[in-house]
Amino acid sequence: MRYVADDLLGLQILLQNMEEGNNIGTKKRESISKVLRELVNPKHGKLRATIINQGIELNYLPKSIKILKDLLRHSSNCKIPEEMEIVESTIVNFLWFLSAIATNDSSFARHVRDMLKVKFFHSEVYKKIFFAKSASHYPLLKILRQLSKNDDTASILGKEGVMTTIRKSFSLVGTTPGGKLLIIMDILSQLTKKKTNSTRFQKAGLLVKVMQVFSNWELWRGQGLLRLSKFLISTYNHVARTPSGRKAIIKCDAILQIRKFCDACPSERSFDEVLMRISGLVATCYHKDILPLDKVESPIVFQVPDAVMKVQDCGSSSDDEGSDDGDEDDDKSDDNGSDDDVASSDDSGDKDKNNDNQSSDDDMEPLKVRSKLKLSTRRSSTGDHQQSLPSNMQRQSISSQDSKLDSYKKFFTEFEVTKNGLFHRKVTETKSTPMAMSLASLVDENLNETSKPKGIPRSEHKYSWITDNKDCEYVYWTSITELRRQYSIVANSINHVAPFVKIPYPDFAFAYSQKSVENMLPTTDRALLRSKIISYISRTVGGESFKPKVIYSLDSLLTNTEENSSAKQKPLRNRDEKEIGNYNKRLGLEFESRFESGNLRKAIQVGERDYDLLITSDVNSRHHNQWFYFQVSNTVNDKMYTFNIINCTKTNSLFNYGMQPLYYSVTDATKGKAGWQRSGHSICYYKNGYKCATSKKRNCSKVYHTLSFSLSFAHKGDIVYIAYHLPYPYTRLMVELNAMLKASESRDDIIVKYDTLCQSLNKNEVPLLTITSQLDERSVNTREIIFLTSRVHPGESNANWVMKGILEFLLFGKTSHVQALLKKYVFKIVPMLNVEGVINGCHRCGLTSEDLNRCWKMPSEILHPTIFHTKMLIEYCCKILNLTPALYCDLHGHSRRKNCFFYGCSFSKSWQNKDKLELDDSKCLLSLPESMDRISSAFCLSYCNYDVRKSRETTARVAVWRDYRIPRSYTLECSYCGFDRGQFKGIAFGTNHLLEIGKDLCKSCLEL
């Protein structure tokens, strides 16, 4: 054996002797076949693997088919019993050898198909030998299983009558638990993937046969039972794709048999997946596998001409949900949403708008008030709310913009020399004003200087918690009433795609976390998860005892022309304080989500206090259902309500590992207990039976997931807001930036400059801040630049809370750290990259249904203005100023991991071989993570990752690192959930922790 394994020639000689059987004699041929069988015996481990690889290299299949044909011919012509027995033994031995290689050859089925030998293996080999020689069962079944895994060969086998052959095979194998039965069940689960084979499966009477096999499931144990149940449910799911298949499964009581299995299902974790698959089967059989929506696409549509859509080549987001570099693609990721996340989807994008002179001086002026949308608004035939863009948009690339670099000089005026040879010293000489400031002088009959704006809370003293809250280390406003007045002005001035009807109370009250410390829940009890799934199965099979009732439908509201027109004419306000306490006992809960960052599409009452909720996909998309933010009212106190969000797309969630939804009570706020708090019981996240519509393929195997949680309300007639994570809307950003800038005007030791980087696709202002200390002739040549960006994914609101901590520390910190930091660096900060996604309640994309963190390689000035202009700022810095930024950091939220950590870029860990030829400066690359690890209690160094994957080439982190050779190019990830190590272990993230992370990041920059 060692001789054969060491030399490829050895195996070649053995096969050649098998071919020349007539020359060497029957017995010698049998001996060689025994040697071949022994060579692939599993007990030989690595030696066996070497032989198998050699067989594949030798192009074994043509020789093997020739040998089998010769052996079968010899067997049929053989008249002597003793000789026939030897030949049959030789055939069995050789089949064992062939099956071992075929099982490890991924191209086996394709090669058999190309050689037109599928019929030979089924009719000449399987039919003749399987029923004549029991010793041949295992190898023949293994070969048949390999053939059934290929769609083409499976189709050919179906036409050749393989289902009838398998039905006859059951009579020989029986129903006693064993490996042969498992292989047959696996073969059926593979073959029935083809619809035509599913029909043949029914006609051959195999449904009854597999039920007979599964009726003895109590006799199976461990992995055998797990595999058996998976194969059975997969087969049933394939058969249930046709109406006749669904009818047959129900009629023969297969569902009843499965329900009994569910009730006594083993408690091992591995069987949870089986139960989830069963829920999908039950939903399909009882026509409850389609979401209760007329269409899965978002009802909020921002229409972009097809001509523009076709030129798109930037990466689409993958869901999976989900990963984070914000690299998290919905499902498979190392970055951003996930350590192993992934959901992913593949939105094709609708695009964005803006003029070719996007970077002109006019575009950089503060945004003017618009009472109505500038874009033309119209109704589609389906009633969707749509907006149109000019049809003459042309895609432009960064590479064609070199001539425009000079227009970015205005963003770097702190480096300019005056006529006297001095550098700018006063803030007021260089600072522009944000939208909130420019709007302050504008009046409206409901919003003006002399009369208190409607909707502002009545009693200012009730909100003393804002200035008393420990999170508010820096207080930079003098009047809460004035702050809310500005909020009303800005909220009524932003452009949004769908109509809004109110200002959300928590944002209007500038809410923080109510408590400084909140504990995470324990990991979801699997018994709870199972009970939810089994309850769903029982409810679906047994019928609904409560007739479902639609309570809220965004689709219907958007098609109500009269209501939409009325909503546009009224200024947005908040009347929650006047409405709390109102209760109508004839109604259940009432829902609303038509406000900034709101997301709820439909609410269906399915029980006395049970509600199925559906959240809205990102604008122009059918993907990325994860972020939610909605209001409930007409509550009953001390009663438990259950909410099931049934169309989540990520494959896993931190809700199973201690995370809770956010809850804000207006009644509590008026009683001095304002703030967001984590709440919810019986929380679990699991697969449901609804087929996922992340692609337009009709037979999509993916399914949606359900987030289920229960809440009790403390007050009758309360108004409560429920959110995925701590909201931080665009309006709040603009108002707080205005307050920060006003408060910093008195400081003459620093430069604080506000610019409008660009306007977004829907003509909303995108802010850019510059913060540094005063420059002189000596310091201008040594001052380095740091670029910070945030919120490219709108659902990652925690990123903006970290950014808020950064801004407050840089502008109002009184420590020596701040002074040293501003003397060393110029900070260029874009606090919100995806303003459209934030405004319109998206989770991952903006108005074009593209993941903007997949557009950094070649962004369009028209379609991705914020990404384009941010990248051009970096390019200007590198090419014109000849300053390579000391740091680029993009802030994100992470949906799979806990704590806070970095993703960076290492040449040695790149997917490109040419990158590995370059040496990493480890000291430079690791300096910031190691500094954060020393300074920040929230940081987890072991979670940091420096891989450069092919799928991440278009993300900010990798594109900036590769295009501008910035070694410190990072994504900072902060968990939605909390801490699983260190001094805060078991604590949920609150606003105080996120603000502190921002401060710690600034301190860490001093050690670069």
Side-chain angles (χ1 to χ4, degrees):
M1 285 188 64
R2 178 62 61 182
Y3 166 75
V4 174
D6 289 343
D7 189 352
L8 193 66
L9 187 61
L11 183 61
Q12 190 172 356
I13 292 173
L14 289 175
L15 290 175
Q16 187 174 344
N17 285 334
M18 285 293 293
E19 277 188 278
E20 300 172 355
N22 294 331
N23 299 328
I24 63 174
T26 304
K27 287 190 176 181
K28 190 173 182 180
R29 202 179 198 187
E30 182 191 22
S31 299
I32 295 174
S33 70
K34 288 179 179 179
V35 172
L36 289 173
R37 179 174 178 176
E38 184 63 22
L39 285 172
V40 295
N41 192 315
K43 70 181 181 182
H44 296 305
K46 292 183 179 179
L47 195 64
R48 174 180 184 266
T50 302
I51 298 294
I52 289 173
N53 289 333
Q54 288 182 1
I56 295 173
E57 287 180 31
L58 286 172
N59 192 20
Y60 68 99
L61 194 54
K63 295 179 184 292
S64 299
I65 291 175
K66 184 178 179 182
I67 292 169
L68 277 175
K69 282 185 175 181
D70 187 46
L71 288 171
L72 289 171
R73 190 183 310 110
H74 191 176
S75 175
S76 61
N77 295 332
C78 193
K79 304 298 183 181
I80 306 172
E82 293 81 2
E83 185 178 357
M84 180 177 291
E85 187 176 342
I86 294 173
V87 173
E88 288 178 350
S89 174
T90 304
I91 292 174
V92 171
N93 290 332
F94 190 75
L95 284 173
W96 273 104
F97 170 77
L98 178 60
S99 67
I101 299 181
T103 302
N104 291 275
D105 182 7
S106 59
S107 301
F108 172 76
R110 179 169 56 84
H111 290 322
V112 172
R113 178 204 62 193
D114 294 343
M115 295 173 66
L116 304 179
K117 296 299 180 183
V118 178
K119 184 177 180 179
F120 165 75
F121 274 102
H122 174 245
S123 301
E124 299 296 322
V125 180
Y126 190 94
K127 280 186 175 181
K128 288 184 178 179
I129 303 174
F130 186 89
F131 299 102
K133 201 76 175 175
S134 60
S136 68
H137 288 179
Y138 265 116
L140 283 173
L141 287 172
K142 288 181 178 180
I143 292 171
L144 187 60
R145 177 171 59 186
Q146 284 302 107
L147 292 174
S148 67
K149 290 181 179 179
N150 180 278
D151 286 346
D152 293 334
T153 52
S155 182
I156 296 169
L157 285 170
K159 294 175 183 177
E160 292 296 322
V162 71
M163 293 299 178
T164 303
T165 305
I166 292 175
R167 182 171 56 81
K168 293 178 180 178
S169 301
F170 271 118
S171 61
L172 292 179
V173 175
T175 58
T176 304
K180 296 176 186 178
L181 265 183
L182 284 178
I183 298 176
I184 291 176
M185 295 297 288
D186 191 7
I187 291 170
L188 289 174
S189 71
Q190 299 292 340
L191 289 172
T192 51
K193 288 179 181 178
K194 302 289 291 183
K195 269 192 175 182
T196 51
N197 282 343
S198 294
T199 303
R200 295 181 181 114
F201 173 89
Q202 297 172 60
K203 291 181 177 179
L206 282 170
L207 186 58
V208 175
K209 288 290 184 181
V210 297
M211 283 185 64
Q212 289 174 354
V213 172
F214 198 65
S215 64
N216 296 323
W217 69 265
E218 296 95 338
L219 302 178
W220 293 75
R221 294 290 182 269
Q223 286 297 310
L225 177 58
L226 178 64
R227 294 177 63 196
L228 174 69
S229 56
K230 282 186 175 181
F231 296 150
L232 178 88
I233 302 306
S234 292
T235 302
Y236 283 172
N237 271 314
H238 297 154
V239 173
R241 287 176 300 177
T242 62
S244 60
R246 292 191 289 271
K247 185 177 179 180
I249 290 173
I250 294 173
K251 187 176 180 179
C252 70
D253 289 334
I255 297 295
L256 180 62
Q257 185 186 63
I258 292 172
R259 279 190 67 186
K260 292 179 180 179
F261 169 75
C262 290
D263 293 336
C265 184
S267 59
E268 286 86 350
R269 180 182 296 274
S270 53
F271 283 89
D272 293 350
E273 176 67 22
V274 176
L275 291 176
M276 292 179 188
R277 292 187 185 185
I278 290 174
S279 70
L281 170 65
V282 170
T284 301
C285 289
Y286 288 89
H287 305 285
K288 294 185 179 180
D289 58 335
I290 305 299
L291 289 173
L293 296 169
D294 292 335
K295 61 176 185 177
V296 295
E297 291 81 4
S298 172
I300 304 172
V301 179
F302 188 86
Q303 187 159 351
V304 181
D306 291 340
V308 177
M309 295 177 68
K310 290 177 182 178
V311 299
Q312 173 190 343
D313 63 1
C314 66
S316 62
S317 134
S318 100
D319 305 186
D320 11 261
E321 269 71 212
S323 198
D324 283 275
D325 220 333
D327 287 43
E328 172 181 25
D329 281 340
D330 272 335
D331 256 358
K332 298 172 182 174
S333 126
D334 58 339
D335 303 352
N336 171 50
S338 97
D339 32 319
D340 45 355
D341 199 345
V342 130
S344 284
S345 59
D346 63 36
D347 294 334
S348 72
D350 297 0
K351 312 313 174 216
D352 104 41
K353 125 185 182 178
N354 264 0
N355 301 325
D356 289 343
N357 61 345
Q358 182 68 55
S359 58
S360 68
D361 291 345
D362 290 341
D363 283 335
M364 301 308 167
E365 289 299 313
L367 186 64
K368 306 299 181 185
V369 159
R370 292 187 250 344
S371 58
K372 294 185 179 180
L373 296 178
K374 287 272 188 176
L375 299 176
S376 60
T377 302
R378 62 186 176 85
R379 294 268 166 210
S380 69
S381 59
T382 59
D384 291 329
H385 193 84
Q386 300 183 342
Q387 293 183 350
S388 300
L389 288 176
S391 60
N392 60 350
M393 295 188 301
Q394 300 278 330
R395 186 177 186 81
Q396 299 182 26
S397 69
I398 285 284
S399 60
S400 67
Q401 300 302 317
D402 288 347
S403 62
K404 289 191 174 185
L405 279 178
D406 286 342
S407 65
Y408 292 85
K409 183 179 180 179
K410 71 185 79 173
F411 300 120
F412 295 88
T413 54
E414 65 274 11
F415 289 98
E416 291 182 7
V417 181
T418 66
K419 292 181 180 179
N420 299 324
L422 299 176
F423 294 89
H424 290 291
R425 290 181 172 276
K426 294 184 180 179
V427 179
T428 53
E429 290 180 11
T430 59
K431 186 169 67 179
S432 304
T433 55
M435 176 173 66
M437 196 176 292
S438 64
L439 293 176
S441 61
L442 297 168
V443 296
D444 179 280
E445 62 179 355
N446 294 301
L447 305 168
N448 57 64
E449 297 281 353
T450 58
S451 64
K452 196 170 185 178
K454 296 179 180 180
I456 288 181
R458 297 188 297 271
S459 303
E460 182 177 335
H461 74 274
K462 293 178 181 178
Y463 303 92
S464 60
W465 68 273
I466 292 184
T467 52
D468 293 340
N469 192 294
K470 293 180 181 179
D471 294 357
C472 301
E473 183 177 349
Y474 311 107
V475 179
Y476 40 85
W477 55 80
T478 56
S479 169
I480 301 300
T481 301
E482 171 61 19
L483 207 60
R484 295 199 180 95
R485 189 189 68 80
Q486 289 189 15
Y487 197 105
S488 295
I489 295 172
V490 177
N492 279 277
S493 305
I494 62 173
N495 296 321
H496 41 88
V497 180
F500 292 166
V501 297
K502 68 180 298 183
I503 297 173
Y505 190 94
D507 305 325
F508 202 38
F510 294 86
Y512 289 78
S513 295
Q514 185 183 108
K515 301 175 183 177
S516 296
V517 176
E518 290 185 285
N519 292 321
M520 294 188 298
L521 292 179
T523 298
T524 298
D525 185 357
R526 288 180 45 251
L528 170 65
L529 181 67
R530 286 196 166 203
S531 68
K532 294 272 187 182
I533 298 172
I534 292 174
S535 174
Y536 169 79
I537 294 171
S538 299
R539 191 171 65 248
T540 303
V541 174
E544 303 281 356
S545 58
F546 184 96
K547 185 177 180 180
K549 180 169 60 174
V550 176
I551 305 298
Y552 175 84
S553 173
L554 181 63
D555 300 56
S556 299
L557 291 169
L558 290 179
T559 56
N560 189 329
T561 307
E562 184 178 341
E563 182 168 343
N564 282 331
S565 177
S566 175
K568 287 181 183 180
Q569 294 172 5
K570 295 179 180 178
L572 299 178
R573 61 188 68 178
N574 185 281
R575 303 175 60 86
D576 288 355
E577 282 192 356
K578 294 181 179 180
E579 295 175 357
I580 55 175
N582 296 334
Y583 174 71
N584 187 335
K585 65 180 180 180
R586 288 181 290 184
L587 300 176
L589 289 182
E590 295 179 329
F591 295 81
E592 183 57 83
S593 67
R594 288 173 296 165
F595 47 77
E596 186 178 354
S597 294
N599 189 317
L600 178 67
R601 183 170 181 178
K602 198 169 189 177
I604 306 170
Q605 187 174 6
V606 294
E608 184 180 358
R609 284 185 294 276
D610 293 351
Y611 295 84
D612 281 354
L613 309 180
L614 293 99
I615 48 183
T616 309
S617 303
D618 286 359
V619 176
N620 282 355
S621 170
R622 53 170 57 196
H623 314 282
H624 312 301
N625 309 330
Q626 207 70 21
W627 169 262
F628 55 87
Y629 183 20
F630 57 89
Q631 167 201 304
V632 295
S633 56
N634 203 47
T635 61
V636 176
N637 58 314
D638 300 326
K639 299 290 185 182
M640 193 64 71
Y641 291 86
T642 298
F643 300 96
N644 304 304
I645 301 177
I646 62 175
N647 65 330
C648 300
T649 50
K650 283 190 178 292
T651 56
N652 201 355
S653 172
L654 285 170
F655 282 112
N656 276 340
Y657 303 97
M659 182 172 163
Q660 294 173 280
L662 274 296
Y663 167 105
Y664 186 100
S665 164
V666 175
T667 302
D668 278 347
T670 61
K671 294 181 178 182
K673 296 181 180 180
W676 288 102
Q677 56 182 307
R678 294 184 181 271
S679 188
H681 308 280
S682 302
I683 300 172
C684 61
Y685 188 91
Y686 59 93
K687 279 184 181 180
N688 58 36
Y690 294 108
K691 291 183 179 178
C692 197
T694 52
S695 71
K696 295 186 178 180
K697 295 179 181 177
R698 186 170 183 84
N699 296 317
C700 183
S701 60
K702 293 183 179 179
V703 295
Y704 287 103
H705 289 67
T706 292
L707 167 61
S708 178
F709 58 93
S710 299
L711 287 172
S712 61
F713 303 109
H715 309 287
K716 189 174 185 178
D718 197 1
I719 296 176
V720 174
Y721 291 82
I722 301 171
Y724 180 74
H725 193 66
L726 296 156
Y728 194 96
Y730 172 72
T731 299
R732 177 169 184 168
L733 171 71
M734 299 305 287
V735 173
E736 289 191 340
L737 284 182
N738 181 52
M740 290 180 189
L741 291 170
K742 280 189 175 182
S744 66
E745 283 181 346
S746 59
R747 298 187 61 179
D748 58 5
D749 59 327
I750 63 173
I751 294 174
V752 184
K753 185 161 64 103
Y754 177 100
D755 290 293
T756 301
L757 175 64
C758 62
Q759 290 184 355
S760 65
L761 188 58
N762 202 13
K763 296 296 184 182
N764 288 301
E765 184 174 307
V766 180
L768 165 68
L769 279 85
T770 302
I771 306 173
T772 189
S773 66
Q774 290 292 347
L775 289 161
D776 53 34
E777 292 186 31
R778 287 180 300 174
S779 62
V780 71
N781 294 320
T782 59
R783 195 72 56 92
E784 294 185 276
I785 297 179
I786 287 178
F787 279 91
L788 301 175
T789 57
S790 176
R791 205 72 181 276
V792 71
H793 293 146
E796 295 167 7
S797 56
N798 44 358
N800 258 130
W801 285 100
V802 176
M803 180 61 78
K804 177 179 167 68
I806 291 171
L807 294 172
E808 290 179 346
F809 182 72
L810 294 177
L811 293 175
F812 307 111
K814 302 297 183 182
T815 67
S816 58
H817 290 95
V818 180
Q819 298 173 10
L821 199 59
L822 296 181
K823 286 181 180 179
K824 187 176 181 181
Y825 300 112
V826 175
F827 284 85
K828 295 289 182 181
I829 298 174
V830 184
M832 189 175 285
L833 285 169
N834 194 342
V835 298
E836 298 300 346
V838 173
I839 290 170
N840 293 289
C842 300
H843 175 68
R844 195 169 183 86
C845 304
L847 299 184
T848 65
S849 79
E850 293 172 285
D851 182 344
L852 294 185
N853 203 37
R854 295 297 183 275
C855 300
W856 279 80
K857 195 68 179 175
M858 191 67 71
S860 164
E861 182 177 2
I862 305 302
L863 305 179
H864 325 114
T866 57
I867 307 303
F868 178 89
H869 291 293
T870 301
K871 193 171 183 184
M872 289 294 277
L873 285 178
I874 301 174
E875 188 155 335
Y876 180 90
C877 181
C878 295
K879 290 187 176 181
I880 306 301
L881 297 181
N882 291 319
L883 289 174
T884 299
L887 169 68
Y888 171 77
C889 188
D890 193 22
L891 309 183
H892 284 267
H894 206 291
S895 67
R896 296 298 184 85
R897 282 187 169 177
K898 296 175 182 176
N899 309 299
C900 160
F901 52 93
F902 281 119
Y903 289 118
C905 300
S906 169
F907 287 111
S908 62
K909 296 186 177 182
S910 172
W911 67 280
Q912 291 191 24
N913 290 329
K914 66 178 182 179
D915 287 339
K916 296 177 182 178
L917 300 177
E918 299 196 41
L919 295 177
D920 284 311
D921 184 346
S922 298
K923 184 177 180 180
C924 176
L925 176 63
L926 302 177
S927 57
L928 185 61
E930 289 175 349
S931 178
M932 274 289 283
D933 191 46
R934 288 190 297 272
I935 293 172
S936 176
S937 300
F939 193 77
C940 179
L941 186 62
S942 62
Y943 279 5
C944 294
N945 189 298
Y946 306 96
D947 291 349
V948 179
R949 297 185 181 183
K950 185 176 182 180
S951 61
R952 300 293 179 265
E953 284 290 328
T954 53
T955 63
R957 169 179 63 98
V958 179
V960 168
W961 170 76
R962 190 175 295 286
D963 294 350
Y964 303 115
R965 309 292 289 184
I966 301 174
R968 295 190 187 98
S969 180
Y970 301 101
T971 297
L972 177 64
E973 300 284 353
C974 292
S975 174
Y976 287 117
C977 184
F979 306 90
D980 64 4
R981 61 193 62 202
Q983 71 179 81
F984 295 132
K985 183 176 181 180
I987 303 298
F989 269 118
T991 50
N992 56 324
H993 302 109
L994 296 170
L995 295 171
E996 192 68 23
I997 290 170
K999 184 195 300 184
D1000 291 340
L1001 178 62
C1002 292
K1003 292 177 181 178
S1004 299
C1005 290
L1006 269 178
E1007 300 186 14
L1008 296 182

